[in-house]
Amino acid sequence: MPDETSDGLTAFEIAAQATAVAEKYAENSDDRADGVILVGEDEQKPSLSATPEELKKLLDVIENDIMPETEKGVAAGNKVFGAAILRNDLTCDLASTNTETDCPLFHGEVKCIYDWSKKIPASERGPRAQTGVFLATHEPCCMCVASILWTGFNRIFYFLPYSTTTAQGIPHDINTMHELWGVNSYRKRNKYFSSACI
């Protein structure tokens, strides 16, 4: 006799009930595509833009804070991807770079979040992320953009888009998203964040 739960149901019966509920839910939903709920325009974060003065600040952070870190990283055998976490006034809170030679998960963005998390007390991270800006030298890959989202940032700027990275001979970001989810990119505006190329 199959194992029964405390309700007297077998695992097979529970699975059959769950399948029936899921199928009924899918049949009654017109706003879903392959089980995915896409929020409407009114629920998405607003489009990002920057004034000429703000663009200069972002480019200055890339040149003066990220690039020195990236130069050291590349000299140590790492890739040329860097990132910075900025305060609301766009001054640099912390800059970091790719250190995949230490850990394959340490893309520039993830390493930046890791270093920042060691610096900033846990109680301050959420509020600082919500008012801050995440800046990357290259458009974040699916792992990095998810990490930025989970850290709480809702504004993401990057310097070079996927098309540039692909032209540089690094098509992994687009290939990964296409193979895993059948898309070429994440949604630039969604209910969690807005991202824009500077």
Side-chain angles (χ1 to χ4, degrees), residues 94-114:
L94 186 132
S96 194
T97 195
N98 181 298
T99 58
E100 288 184 59
T101 56
D102 292 337
C103 173
L105 298 177
F106 281 167
H107 290 197
E109 298 91 336
V110 172
K111 183 65 162 76
C112 189
I113 292 167
Y114 177 77

Side-chain angles (χ1 to χ4, degrees), residues 79-82 98 100 104-110 136-146 148 158-188:
K79 294 177 186 157
V80 65
F81 300 103
N98 181 298
E100 288 184 59
L105 298 177
F106 281 167
H107 290 197
E109 298 91 336
V110 172
T137 57
H138 295 73
E139 188 169 2
C141 72
C142 54
M143 176 183 72
C144 291
V145 80
I148 296 165
Y158 54 89
F159 185 59
L160 300 170
Y162 288 149
S163 57
T164 301
T165 310
T166 299
Q168 293 172 336
I170 309 171
H172 313 308
D173 300 338
I174 291 174
N175 291 345
T176 299
M177 281 189 268
H178 179 73
E179 288 300 318
L180 293 179
W181 300 292
V183 298
N184 291 324
S185 181
Y186 59 91
R187 295 175 69 215
K188 307 295 190 238

Side-chain angles (χ1 to χ4, degrees), residues 47-68:
S47 295
L48 281 183
S49 62
T51 66
E53 295 80 21
E54 291 170 332
L55 286 173
K56 181 176 181 341
K57 286 183 179 183
L58 295 171
L59 292 171
D60 285 347
V61 169
I62 291 173
E63 181 179 5
N64 300 318
D65 298 293
I66 299 173
M67 289 308 295

Side-chain angles (χ1 to χ4, degrees), residues 43-49 85-86 88 116 125-135 145 147-157 186-196:
E43 296 179 63
Q44 295 177 4
K45 295 290 182 190
S47 295
L48 281 183
S49 62
I85 292 174
L86 312 180
N88 192 40
W116 182 75
R125 290 183 206 142
R128 287 176 79 158
Q130 288 293 307
T131 60
V133 170
F134 198 95
L135 174 63
V145 80
S147 299
I148 296 165
L149 178 153
W150 284 109
T151 306
F153 290 93
N154 56 40
R155 294 182 293 166
I156 304 167
F157 284 103
Y186 59 91
R187 295 175 69 215
K188 307 295 190 238
R189 286 183 57 226
N190 54 66
K191 74 178 188 175
Y192 301 109
F193 64 79
S194 287
S195 66

